[in-house]
Amino acid sequence: MKLHNYFRSSASFRVRIALELKGLPYEYVPVHLVKGEHKQEGYAALSPSMLVPTLVTDAGEHLGQSMAIIEWLDETHPQQPLMPRDPLGRARVRALSQLIACEIHPLNNLRVLKYLTQELKVDEETKATWYRHWVREGLLAFERELAQLPRGKYAYGDTPTLVDCCLVPQIFNGKRFNTDYSGLDRTMAAFDACMELPAFQRAQPSHQPDNEA
Amino acid sequence: MKLHNYFRSSASFRVRIALELKGLPYEYVPVHLVKGEHKQEGYAALSPSMLVPTLVTDAGEHLGQSMAIIEWLDETHPQQPLMPRDPLGRARVRALSQLIACEIHPLNNLRVLKYLTQELKVDEETKATWYRHWVREGLLAFERELAQLPRGKYAYGDTPTLVDCCLVPQIFNGKRFNTDYSGLDRTMAAFDACMELPAFQRAQPSHQPDNEA
């Protein structure tokens, strides 16, 4: 498999975690978002929506959208399952994942931050406040949701799931803007537990070949 | 089942479509977002993230996040399936759904539009331009993705899927801000095919008990 992705992209990071957790080897193909490589002809032919990541399967299929890719990986490579077996468990895992992937992350990705500065002409401090606002509000909601569920080692249960694949990149992402993570006890405990695992370590931005940090 | 929701909320509309397509009766419980009812104690006890919709199952479980609810409905009520049977088909359906639910809709929901006007002090025209920008750009990406897939009657294949549950509310939503839908041939053909079905008609905002339009 080939993963077309960018070291700092949260959605890319999610898929790298899943691949590492499952022990699946893959070829890393960097797509430089800041240089606009995702909008160039070559990548657009692979991903018509011009978003990273794209997973190219061994059968040559191009898969987009990180949560969809991870569920596909889980359905086709069942070792180290990332989804619970029962429908209620899957509903909980999907809902917690979507709380990050649909409510927090979309507001803070590169093209939105660009629109804020280039079109709305907001200054750097206003942009950072916007950024921290959505991460903080979203993670507080996430923490309240976790509080309703039995406590496990990871975000949902005692093995890593799709939720952790979404949570860890979001925490990394928010750290870049010095987001306040106080009062997020369950959330941060899950994050810390994940970071003890080699799979999460290997998937992090600073360990990627295109890392510039 | 009980659906706590708001007539105009796109995420609520998605779940109503799924319930109607499957012919599942449900009790409609309105939550007035503009009046802030989702942030009041009663609803927050039901939905700690204070988002609509919440589906309360016959077993008394509270389920959040529209795409997660719809997949749960599909797994527990298999009549009129909303997901393909093969993993690749499911990956395509999830990716197209997420292209709407993670890339377009989050930028235009009520709390984001409020932040634009109240915190960033943008005027109505700038807000409307922001709104139309993300809908238009997102749907153009959606159209390009559709163009890579075999043509069916609906967005994916010849029966309605999760994609249509996400697409139709997004089209309704964008119409309120007079978004330009030109050049979206496959997308709008799928929308039109959906709107010929009674399930989509019954689920639309203007047919709900809390409708104010």
Side-chain angles (χ1 to χ4, degrees):
Chain A
M1 289 186 285
K2 280 189 195 181
L3 186 67
H4 297 258
N5 77 130
Y6 182 57
F7 77 106
R8 195 172 267 156
S9 139
S10 289
S12 300
F13 189 179
R14 293 176 197 156
V15 176
R16 292 196 303 262
I17 294 166
L19 287 162
E20 293 285 355
L21 283 169
K22 288 184 171 287
L24 297 169
Y26 65 97
E27 183 183 336
Y28 189 106
V29 187
V31 181
H32 203 301
L33 292 193
V34 178
K35 291 184 186 160
E37 287 181 2
H38 56 302
K39 292 182 181 172
Q40 290 170 8
E41 220 173 298
Y43 189 70
L46 200 69
S47 167
S49 52
M50 300 188 283
L51 297 167
V52 291
T54 297
L55 184 76
V56 179
T57 72
D58 292 338
E61 300 287 351
H62 306 166
L63 305 183
Q65 289 294 330
S66 58
M67 290 188 297
I69 293 171
I70 294 171
E71 288 223 43
W72 179 86
L73 283 170
D74 206 47
E75 292 175 0
T76 54
H77 300 79
Q79 70 270 30
Q80 179 84 29
L82 301 175
M83 297 294 292
R85 286 193 182 184
D86 59 309
L88 183 61
R90 281 197 294 277
R92 299 262 181 254
V93 162
R94 289 184 184 126
L96 288 167
S97 304
Q98 289 164 21
L99 198 45
I100 293 168
C102 302
E103 310 288 345
I104 304 176
H105 181 64
L107 295 162
N108 290 335
N109 69 24
L110 193 60
R111 68 180 187 281
V112 176
L113 300 181
K114 265 193 183 171
Y115 193 102
L116 288 177
T117 51
Q118 293 178 1
E119 306 297 326
L120 302 187
K121 311 288 183 199
V122 310
D123 58 29
E124 285 301 308
E125 185 49 34
T126 306
K127 182 178 88 172
T129 302
W130 159 282
Y131 189 100
R132 288 189 289 254
H133 172 79
W134 301 114
V135 177
R136 175 90 184 141
E137 289 295 304
L139 289 178
L140 286 170
F142 184 85
E143 177 77 14
R144 291 193 302 271
E145 292 286 348
L146 285 191
Q148 306 295 307
L149 300 170
R151 186 162 191 142
K153 186 169 181 190
Y154 299 98
Y156 185 90
D158 290 322
T159 55
T161 63
L162 175 63
V163 187
D164 303 288
C165 296
C166 293
L167 175 62
V168 166
Q170 185 60 64
I171 297 293
F172 266 75
N173 197 312
K175 280 185 177 177
R176 291 180 58 217
F177 281 80
N178 299 313
T179 307
D180 173 15
Y181 289 152
S182 62
L184 299 169
D185 300 347
R186 290 268 301 255
T187 303
M188 295 311 290
F191 172 77
D192 291 340
C194 288
M195 292 314 296
E196 287 176 14
L197 299 178
F200 285 83
Q201 289 288 343
R202 282 194 297 264
Q204 68 178 298
S206 62
H207 290 195
Q208 306 317 308
D210 53 341
N211 168 49
E212 291 166 357
Chain B
M1 290 187 283
K2 280 188 195 181
L3 186 68
H4 297 258
N5 77 129
Y6 182 57
F7 76 106
R8 196 173 267 157
S9 138
S10 289
S12 300
F13 189 178
R14 292 175 197 155
V15 176
R16 293 196 303 261
I17 293 167
L19 287 162
E20 293 285 354
L21 282 169
K22 288 183 171 289
L24 296 169
Y26 65 98
E27 184 182 335
Y28 189 106
V29 187
V31 181
H32 203 300
L33 292 193
V34 179
K35 291 183 185 161
E37 286 180 2
H38 56 303
K39 292 183 181 171
Q40 291 170 7
E41 221 174 297
Y43 189 71
L46 199 71
S47 167
S49 53
M50 300 187 284
L51 296 168
V52 292
T54 297
L55 183 76
V56 179
T57 71
D58 292 337
E61 301 288 352
H62 306 167
L63 305 183
Q65 289 292 330
S66 59
M67 289 189 296
I69 294 171
I70 294 171
E71 288 223 43
W72 178 86
L73 283 170
D74 205 48
E75 291 176 0
T76 55
H77 300 80
Q79 70 270 29
Q80 179 85 29
L82 301 176
M83 297 295 291
R85 287 193 179 182
D86 59 309
L88 183 61
R90 280 196 294 277
R92 298 261 181 255
V93 161
R94 287 185 185 124
L96 289 167
S97 303
Q98 289 165 22
L99 198 46
I100 293 168
C102 302
E103 311 287 346
I104 305 177
H105 181 64
L107 294 162
N108 290 334
N109 70 25
L110 194 59
R111 68 181 187 282
V112 176
L113 300 181
K114 266 193 182 171
Y115 193 101
L116 288 177
T117 51
Q118 293 178 2
E119 305 297 326
L120 302 187
K121 311 289 183 199
V122 311
D123 59 28
E124 286 301 308
E125 185 49 33
T126 306
K127 183 178 86 172
T129 303
W130 159 283
Y131 189 101
R132 287 189 288 255
H133 172 79
W134 300 115
V135 178
R136 175 92 183 139
E137 289 296 304
L139 288 178
L140 285 170
F142 183 86
E143 178 78 14
R144 290 193 303 271
E145 292 287 348
L146 285 192
Q148 305 296 308
L149 300 169
R151 186 162 192 143
K153 185 167 180 190
Y154 299 99
Y156 185 89
D158 290 322
T159 56
T161 64
L162 175 62
V163 187
D164 302 289
C165 295
C166 294
L167 174 63
V168 166
Q170 186 60 64
I171 297 293
F172 265 75
N173 197 312
K175 279 185 178 177
R176 290 181 57 217
F177 280 80
N178 298 313
T179 308
D180 173 15
Y181 288 153
S182 61
L184 299 169
D185 299 347
R186 289 269 300 253
T187 303
M188 296 310 291
F191 172 77
D192 291 340
C194 288
M195 292 313 296
E196 286 176 15
L197 298 178
F200 286 83
Q201 288 289 343
R202 283 194 297 265
Q204 68 177 299
S206 62
H207 290 194
Q208 307 317 309
D210 55 341
N211 169 49
E212 291 165 358

